[in-house]
Amino acid sequence: MFLKNQPKENIQEYYNLLKIVGGLSNLFSDNNIPYLYYRAAENIFCKAFEANNLSRGDSSADASKNSMGIGLKTFLNSNGNTLQKIAEFNKDRNDYHDLIKNPEDFIRYISLLRNKRLDSTKVIHSIDNLVYHCVAREADRFLIFEEEMNFINIDQINNIKPKPNSISFNDKIHEYNFNISKSTLFKRFNTNNTVELKVDILKDPYEVLRKIFEEKNLDFIKDHKPEYEFVILPLFSTRSGKVADGSGLNQWNARGRKRDINEVYIPVPAVIHKIYPTFFPPNEKGISFNLHLPNGNVLSASMCQDSFFKINGKDVNKGKGLMSNPNKELGKWILRDILKIPEGTVVTYEMLVEIGIDSVEVRKIDSKNYEIDFKKVNSYYDFVDSLNE
């Protein structure tokens, strides 16, 4: 487990932060059960334990530290025995729709998808072990406990019970339930061996916060630090909605010159350059930047393929894609490490959907450093829609 192996001072800091945030519950409700927004729980955990926050990406883990991935859950304690969501499979509906008629085949398929996602999370972030860290909430306290985040033991699946809108099953380790209409997999969590943390909820948190800000003469605007600028890029062609056979992730399969079997690039649609003209550097010889991967490795990268835009009255070659130098390094990471496809196999959009990703988020730290992480299916279109709004 994670918590018991952390320094005492970090554990105490974690408990203190949880108490503070729980004490502000009357900002949101008048219930005697402390409120804990899941994003706050993630940020508190990462701050207290100096862990990597993975929640912005599409990962089965919300945080990582020292090769351990942690799935963070917060929920109301329901008699110490509650089903909680652990995965969604909305984009896989077309693939499994016909299997629902046969519950055994259907559950096996869903279990395979779940295991693939866990495996891709471990590879992407260089994780050896996965655990759940849970904060259950009940009257005036938090209950903290942990358990392993296991792969579903497909060979031991039994007790499959179909109902009109769900199918329950277990694998002799955990109990699961798949909600058909929501395409969501749930797992039963048992609040055993918990650490109890008493929470004193402030009667008037508004007045307490007012006094703090008045005493410190805090300037909200001056002290605000904006987050890093970011864009989301598709791993597929936005024209066809598919992965092209001879470009993008299949650039190695393009006609013409001889290419390395791992040669790829990530498409950068024109709309990204138009709205963020200075986000990426120009596609010019000698201009490169550091691309930081989720696993801690750093690649040299640059823009590729000519694509000209008028910026400040001048034609600037911004490029149609993002590639590594040498270009095979990015392909080794995506094609072999993440997708785990053999050399010479053409990537399809269905392969991306199978592990729940079809986009990447690129964050600009400064002109020489960018970070990249995978995003769930449809993230690119959601991003573009938000820009249009």
Side-chain angles (χ1 to χ4, degrees), residues 313-374:
K314 296 182 179 180
D315 287 332
V316 180
N317 185 0
K318 296 297 294 183
K320 292 182 180 179
L322 168 63
M323 62 176 284
S324 63
N325 303 309
N327 55 29
K328 64 182 180 180
E329 294 303 319
L330 187 61
K332 285 181 180 178
W333 179 55
I334 297 176
L335 302 182
R336 312 301 166 226
D337 295 344
I338 307 306
L339 296 179
K340 296 183 180 299
I341 62 174
E343 293 183 355
T345 299
V346 174
V347 181
T348 66
Y349 184 74
E350 288 70 26
M351 291 178 181
L352 300 177
V353 172
E354 198 170 70
I355 62 171
I357 59 174
D358 74 351
S359 315
V360 293
E361 178 177 296
V362 180
R363 294 180 289 278
K364 185 176 184 178
I365 308 306
D366 54 46
S367 61
K368 287 293 184 180
N369 291 279
Y370 294 73
E371 294 178 342
I372 187 171
D373 203 350
F374 291 98

Side-chain angles (χ1 to χ4, degrees), residues 191-340:
T191 50
N192 298 322
N193 302 316
T194 63
V195 174
E196 296 187 11
L197 199 63
K198 180 173 172 52
V199 177
D200 296 317
I201 298 176
L202 298 171
K203 290 184 178 180
D204 189 355
Y206 299 98
E207 189 61 28
V208 173
L209 292 174
R210 185 199 304 276
K211 289 180 179 179
I212 292 174
F213 281 94
E214 287 177 350
E215 290 173 2
K216 297 292 184 180
N217 292 318
L218 295 179
D219 186 330
F220 291 96
I221 298 177
K222 182 176 68 176
D223 292 341
H224 176 68
K225 294 181 180 179
E227 293 186 355
Y228 293 124
E229 189 176 30
F230 72 93
V231 299
I232 294 181
L233 307 177
L235 292 174
F236 55 91
S237 168
T238 55
R239 291 184 177 180
S240 65
K242 301 179 180 179
V243 181
D245 288 344
S247 62
L249 298 187
N250 292 317
Q251 178 68 4
W252 57 271
N253 195 41
R255 297 179 179 179
R257 64 173 175 81
K258 184 178 180 180
R259 302 174 187 275
D260 189 275
I261 196 66
N262 293 308
E263 183 176 341
V264 303
Y265 68 86
I266 296 174
V268 181
V271 65
I272 300 297
H273 287 315
K274 289 178 180 177
I275 297 178
Y276 297 96
T278 61
F279 184 86
F280 288 111
N283 176 24
E284 296 179 6
K285 187 176 181 180
I287 296 181
S288 63
F289 51 87
N290 298 316
L291 186 64
H292 298 256
L293 307 186
N295 59 15
N297 293 338
V298 181
L299 304 181
S300 174
S302 63
M303 307 308 292
C304 65
Q305 299 197 18
D306 292 341
S307 183
F308 289 87
F309 293 83
K310 193 168 289 295
I311 301 175
N312 296 327
K314 296 182 179 180
D315 287 332
V316 180
N317 185 0
K318 296 297 294 183
K320 292 182 180 179
L322 168 63
M323 62 176 284
S324 63
N325 303 309
N327 55 29
K328 64 182 180 180
E329 294 303 319
L330 187 61
K332 285 181 180 178
W333 179 55
I334 297 176
L335 302 182
R336 312 301 166 226
D337 295 344
I338 307 306
L339 296 179
K340 296 183 180 299

